[in-house]
């Protein structure tokens, strides 16, 4: 295929990605250097039957003009990145200087919105991903061993939690764990504590979100591993049996090494998807105890009167940097392999 | 009886009977965890709020005394009536239909051409395009949305369905390209090269030799494009207005407005309505979904 033919086929796709993925990233980088215009105040006098009182109000006309002249806001350099709702460099310095011990430093840093979101996002990513792989693998091995007429229905129902919209799936669970819902009532009965509520404590909210994450993604790992199991060479399995390997040893020394590349694939997909966790926080109304980076951006943009574009953009840039750090090992490995082949 | 005798003769076989029982039990537990929430919510959507969220006894959700007291029957369509007619969920369902259909068609057209080119070109830049696509695939959608909003306001194209459709197509491209690229790699090169030897141009070879055999891969990829558009909340909730919202943002808006009015059943009914198309989709395309999930893994 010549360069010209290649371009003829791929240009619409490249154009779409350039315009709506690459340019927005540049636009985000640009916006992150600006903040909203300061309110232009105007003093007016309101006169009533009891005399005149001076009033200070926002000058709407002047504001509109300023916004039209420079829609991105006024230049702020990198200050948005270091302010208290992002990296909070001043606050951190102060916390480190005035805190007594490590526990206090940790608690006070957890109160800064960006770090609170970052810590939850990372915990979610690195707790849910391995659990998904382990559960998916166990389900796949077990389903592979049951009678084959059961396999079809099992796969059908297993796909449901994964295919269903994250917001919808989390709402379904949220209503069930409500203290008036069936699971909530069952847990109260189980622990003999009629006031037990999964929504009340931050720890329980985190656990709920982790459980949701595993429930939502385990089917994906299950399907991938199950398909992989169908291709495990049977002569290797048989020769291991001849050598006296029991069931567990077969899994440990034949199946697991064979499925390792698939596990890497699932891990990569899960790291990418879990890092952008967002909808479950809305579905579970969990924002009081758990926020993620994506959720911070969303609330900045949802700010009632004027969206905080600068603040959202700065968080976005930090998130993008996070994604790239997460992907670096994969990128290096791919580049090495490609060079070896070339 | 015979079964038991043989198993007591052979310790290995006996162990496997116990293991088989354990396996089936485990699978049943998993099935319960995976499917019960949906069945429960679907059942509950035909009840009154006092039963689905019962303070007194969770059994109320099954028997439905409050539903009987309020409506005279054990089942009620009030939730559905309220959501679809009073809150105009049908409008959202229609918008979802338009958006998903357009996104799927356009993504597949662009993705098929691009994926074919990537699979047949051996140049070094194909690698970099695929890597860039992988990085783009990993971008959280909300970071991209925060890049769109201001320019879209300026250009005055915010809040329209076509804008949202194009944005979703673009967000979908990295995934579509990867999937169709690996699918086209599995179609032998000889097929289109033979057509070109016979005098076809590259595009004719694509049309006459490749298009007739590409449908299995396209259907599979199409399913995932459909799911991405159907399930999207981030983009649609930020780029559409209240009047042309799709189903998922609409459900979210129910949560704000209905919770305090005691109309949470509207949201339950809407949620169940949104699940049904997905349920049907899995029923008909289970095989394609499974093969699509594994395609990327096995080939790349």
């Amino acid at each position: 295929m010549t360069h010209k033919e290649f371009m003829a086929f791929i240009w619409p796709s490249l154009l779409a990605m350039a315009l709506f993925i690459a340019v927005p990233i540049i636009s985000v980088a640009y916006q992150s250097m600006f903040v909203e215009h300061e309110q232009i105040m105007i003093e007016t006098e309101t006169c009533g039957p009891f005399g005149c009182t001076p009033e200070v109000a926002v000058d709407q006309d002047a504001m509109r003009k300023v916004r039209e002249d420079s829609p991105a806001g006024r230049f702020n350099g990198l200050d948005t990145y270091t302010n208290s709702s992002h990296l909070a460099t001043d606050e951190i310095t102060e916390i480190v200087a005035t805190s007594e011990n490590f526990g206090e430093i940790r608690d006070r840093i957890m109160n800064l919105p960006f770090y609170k979101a970052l810590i939850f996002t990372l915990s979610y990513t690195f707790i849910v991903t391995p659990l998904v792989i382990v559960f998916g693998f166990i389900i796949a091995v077990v389903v592979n061993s049951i009678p084959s007429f059961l396999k079809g229905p099992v796969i059908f129902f297993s796909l449901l939690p994964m295919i269903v919209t994250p917001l919808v799936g989390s709402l379904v669970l949220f209503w069930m764990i409500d203290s008036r819902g069936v699971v909530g009532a069952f847990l109260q009965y189980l622990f003999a504590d009629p006031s037990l509520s999964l929504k009340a404590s931050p720890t329980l909210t985190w656990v709920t979100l982790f459980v949701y994450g595993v429930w939502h993604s385990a089917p994906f790992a299950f399907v991938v591993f199950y398909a992989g199991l169908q291709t495990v060479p049977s002569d290797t399995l048989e020769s291991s049996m001849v050598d006296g390997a029991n069931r567990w040893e077969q899994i440990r020394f034949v199946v697991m090494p064979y499925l390792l590349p698939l596990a890497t694939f699932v891990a990569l997909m899960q790291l990418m998807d879990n890092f952008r966790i967002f909808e479950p926080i809305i579905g579970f109304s969990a924002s009081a105890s758990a926020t993620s980076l994506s959720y911070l951006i969303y609330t900045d943009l949802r700010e009632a009167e004027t969206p905080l574009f600068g603040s959202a953009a700065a968080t976005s840039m930090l998130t993008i940097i996070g994604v790239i750090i997460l992907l670096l090992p994969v990128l290096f490995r791919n580049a090495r392999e490609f060079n070896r082949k070339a | 009886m015979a079964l038991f005798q043989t198993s007591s003769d052979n310790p290995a076989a006996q162990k496997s009977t116990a293991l088989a029982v354990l396996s089936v039990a485990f699978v049943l537990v998993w099935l319960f965890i995976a499917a019960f929430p949906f069945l429960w919510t679907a059942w509950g959507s035909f009840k009154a709020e006092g039963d689905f969220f019962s303070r007194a006894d969770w059994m109320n959700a099954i028997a439905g005394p409050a539903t009987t007291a309020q409506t005279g029957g054990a089942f009620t369509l009030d939730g559905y009536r309220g959501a679809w007619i009073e809150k105009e969920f049908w409008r959202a369902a229609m918008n979802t239909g338009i958006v998903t259909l357009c996104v799927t068609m356009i993504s597949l057209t662009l993705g098929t051409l691009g994926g074919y080119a990537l699979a047949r070109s051996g140049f070094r830049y194909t690698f970099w395009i695929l890597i860039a696509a992988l990085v783009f695939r990993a971008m959280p959608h909300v970071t991209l949305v925060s890049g769109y909003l201001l320019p879209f306001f300026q250009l005055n194209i915010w809040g329209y369905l076509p804008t949202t459709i194009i944005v979703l197509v673009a967000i979908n491209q990295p995934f579509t390209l990867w999937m169709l690229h690996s699918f086209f790699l599995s179609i032998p090169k000889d097929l289109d090269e033979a057509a070109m030897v016979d005098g076809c141009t590259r595009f004719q070879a694509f049309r006459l030799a490749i298009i007739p055999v590409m449908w299995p891969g396209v259907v599979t990829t199409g399913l995932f494009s459909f799911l991405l558009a159907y399930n999207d909340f981030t983009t649609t909730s930020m780029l559409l207005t209240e009047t042309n919202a799709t189903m998922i943002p609409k459900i979210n808006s129910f949560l704000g407005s209905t919770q305090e009015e005691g109309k949470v059943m509207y949201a339950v009914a809407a949620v169940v309505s949104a699940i049904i198309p997905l349920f049907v989709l899995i029923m008909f395309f289970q095989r394609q979904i499974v093969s699509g999930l594994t395609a990327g893994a096995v080939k790349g």
Side-chain angles (χ1 to χ4, degrees):
Chain A
M1 195 175 243
T2 62
H3 296 297
K4 211 178 137 196
E5 282 167 350
F6 180 77
M7 278 318 287
F9 273 93
I10 209 168
W11 73 264
S13 189
L14 283 188
L15 183 72
M17 289 200 293
L19 271 184
F20 293 101
I21 303 181
V23 173
I25 294 176
I26 298 169
S27 150
V28 163
Y30 176 79
Q31 283 178 45
S32 69
M33 313 260 215
F34 290 83
V35 285
E36 291 66 36
H37 292 289
E38 274 177 83
Q39 307 274 43
I40 302 167
M41 295 313 214
I42 189 169
E43 198 161 320
T44 49
E45 281 202 336
T46 345
C47 294
F50 309 105
C52 291
T53 45
E55 257 184 16
V56 180
V58 177
D59 185 347
Q60 295 295 350
D61 290 337
M63 283 300 292
R64 200 172 302 127
K65 190 168 175 331
V66 174
R67 283 207 189 109
E68 267 166 26
D69 288 347
S70 52
R74 64 201 154 85
F75 186 73
N76 196 31
L78 292 176
D79 287 357
T80 314
Y81 288 94
T82 53
N83 74 9
S84 65
S85 48
H86 295 89
L87 292 175
T89 38
D90 293 346
E91 284 77 2
I92 298 258
T93 327
E94 200 236 298
I95 287 171
V96 173
T98 58
S99 293
E100 307 272 300
N101 52 36
F102 180 73
E104 196 186 334
I105 294 181
R106 192 193 55 204
D107 290 346
R108 287 175 64 182
I109 286 182
M110 273 297 283
N111 283 330
L112 298 168
F114 178 78
Y115 289 97
K116 188 180 162 195
L118 179 70
I119 289 167
F120 177 76
T121 310
L122 289 177
S123 318
Y124 184 86
T125 311
F126 289 103
I127 289 175
V128 171
T129 307
L131 285 179
V132 161
I133 293 176
V134 170
F135 274 100
F137 180 73
I138 296 174
I139 300 169
V141 168
V142 174
V143 169
N144 199 34
S145 74
I146 60 170
S148 51
F149 71 93
L150 280 174
K151 286 178 183 169
V154 169
I155 294 175
F156 175 81
F157 285 107
S158 302
L159 286 175
L160 271 175
M162 178 190 66
I163 298 287
V164 162
T165 321
L167 185 77
V168 164
S170 44
L171 279 175
V172 164
L173 293 196
F174 179 66
W175 288 324
M176 287 174 70
I177 63 161
D178 188 285
S179 53
R180 295 168 299 153
V182 60
V183 175
F186 178 70
L187 288 178
Q188 287 174 354
Y189 166 79
L190 200 69
F191 293 101
D193 176 4
S195 64
L196 180 74
S197 165
L198 289 177
K199 297 170 196 171
S201 113
T203 323
L204 287 179
T205 311
W206 280 42
V207 172
T208 314
L209 286 168
F210 294 160
V211 169
Y212 164 80
V214 175
W215 179 76
H216 173 67
S217 303
F220 169 63
F222 155 57
V223 169
V224 171
F225 287 136
Y226 179 76
L229 282 175
Q230 311 308 310
T231 63
V232 173
S234 57
D235 39 346
T236 318
L237 268 181
E238 275 160 23
S239 48
S240 76
M241 266 192 296
V242 171
D243 290 347
N246 63 25
R247 229 167 254 278
W248 163 244
E249 284 165 344
Q250 285 171 31
I251 289 178
R252 174 66 191 81
F253 296 108
V254 181
V255 175
M256 276 172 149
Y258 191 79
L259 293 185
L260 192 66
L262 294 188
T264 324
F265 164 77
V266 174
L268 170 68
M269 289 295 166
Q270 283 299 301
L271 286 179
M272 294 199 286
D273 289 347
N274 290 337
F275 194 74
R276 60 173 160 225
I277 176 188
F278 166 56
E279 282 104 327
I281 294 178
I282 293 186
F284 283 100
S285 313
S287 55
S289 344
T291 55
S292 71
L293 294 175
S294 294
Y295 185 84
L296 280 189
I297 302 171
Y298 177 81
T299 45
D300 275 346
L301 293 175
R302 269 298 160 101
E303 204 64 33
E305 278 297 304
T306 45
L308 302 173
F309 290 120
S311 170
T315 315
S316 295
M317 282 313 285
L318 295 168
T319 311
I320 291 173
I321 293 169
V323 168
I324 289 172
I325 293 174
L326 212 61
L327 282 182
L328 270 185
V330 186
L331 297 183
F332 275 129
R333 212 194 59 186
N334 268 318
R336 236 190 3 247
E337 267 174 27
F338 188 83
N339 287 333
R340 213 171 40 220
K341 273 188 224 155
Chain B
M1 229 20 235
L3 186 85
F4 280 102
Q5 265 165 8
T6 45
S7 38
S8 59
D9 290 345
N10 178 349
Q14 186 180 28
K15 194 182 154 215
S16 77
T17 314
L19 208 64
V21 172
L22 213 69
S23 304
V24 171
F26 178 86
V27 167
L28 288 179
V29 170
W30 162 246
L31 269 188
F32 182 77
I33 295 172
F36 174 70
F38 298 107
L39 300 177
W40 177 260
T41 309
W43 172 272
S45 68
F46 294 103
K47 301 285 179 187
E49 189 184 344
D51 285 330
F52 189 55
F53 296 99
S54 177
R55 259 177 232 287
D57 183 3
W58 65 269
M59 281 292 287
N60 284 352
I62 294 176
T67 316
T68 318
Q70 279 172 30
T71 62
F75 296 96
T76 169
L77 283 173
D78 282 353
Y80 289 90
R81 201 174 293 125
W84 280 84
I85 298 167
E86 190 184 316
K87 294 276 178 182
E88 299 197 320
F89 194 64
W90 59 270
R91 212 184 277 279
M94 225 165 60
N95 288 325
T96 297
I98 298 171
V99 169
T100 46
L101 189 76
C102 294
V103 169
T104 313
M105 307 272 280
I106 302 173
S107 319
L108 283 180
T109 314
L110 303 191
T112 320
L113 293 171
Y116 175 73
L118 287 172
R120 289 298 185 260
S121 167
F123 292 110
R124 196 182 171 78
Y125 49 65
T126 55
F127 168 76
W128 289 111
I129 292 177
L130 284 169
I131 286 295
L134 181 73
V135 175
F136 288 163
R137 156 82 174 69
M139 289 297 150
H141 299 166
V142 73
T143 60
L144 300 177
V145 171
S146 73
Y148 302 139
L149 278 183
L150 196 57
F152 283 5
F153 284 144
Q154 295 299 311
L155 298 170
N156 221 354
I157 52 172
W158 179 86
Y160 299 105
L161 286 183
T163 316
T164 312
I165 290 170
I166 303 221
V167 164
L168 283 175
V169 165
I171 289 184
N172 216 347
Q173 272 309 295
F175 171 78
T176 319
L177 276 184
W178 263 94
M179 197 135 164
L180 285 167
H181 155 252
S182 62
F183 175 73
F184 281 121
L185 281 181
S186 72
I187 296 181
K189 260 188 182 161
D190 311 350
L191 209 63
D192 34 333
E193 273 165 13
M196 282 165 69
V197 169
D198 289 349
C200 285
T201 64
R202 174 60 77 169
F203 191 76
Q204 284 169 328
F206 174 73
R207 192 162 58 90
L208 299 170
I210 298 295
I211 286 185
V213 296
M214 72 178 187
W215 295 110
V218 170
V219 168
T220 307
T221 315
L223 282 171
F224 286 89
S225 302
F226 170 87
L227 284 176
L228 181 127
Y230 189 89
N231 286 348
D232 179 85
F233 170 69
T234 322
T235 320
T236 44
S237 72
M238 300 298 262
L239 293 186
L240 291 173
T241 61
E242 241 163 65
T243 48
N244 63 3
T246 50
M247 288 205 276
I248 308 301
K250 186 85 177 172
I251 290 174
N252 185 47
S253 75
F254 280 3
L255 297 179
S257 63
T258 56
Q259 215 122 37
E260 61 277 2
E261 295 167 40
K263 285 184 177 161
V264 80
M265 291 321 285
Y266 289 10
V268 177
V271 156
V272 174
S273 314
I275 293 174
I276 290 170
L278 297 171
F279 196 84
V280 175
L281 188 85
I282 307 180
M283 215 137 69
F284 283 104
F285 294 106
Q286 179 173 333
R287 188 186 298 270
Q288 281 84 350
I289 294 174
V290 169
S291 77
L293 285 177
T294 50
V298 179
K299 283 167 197 141

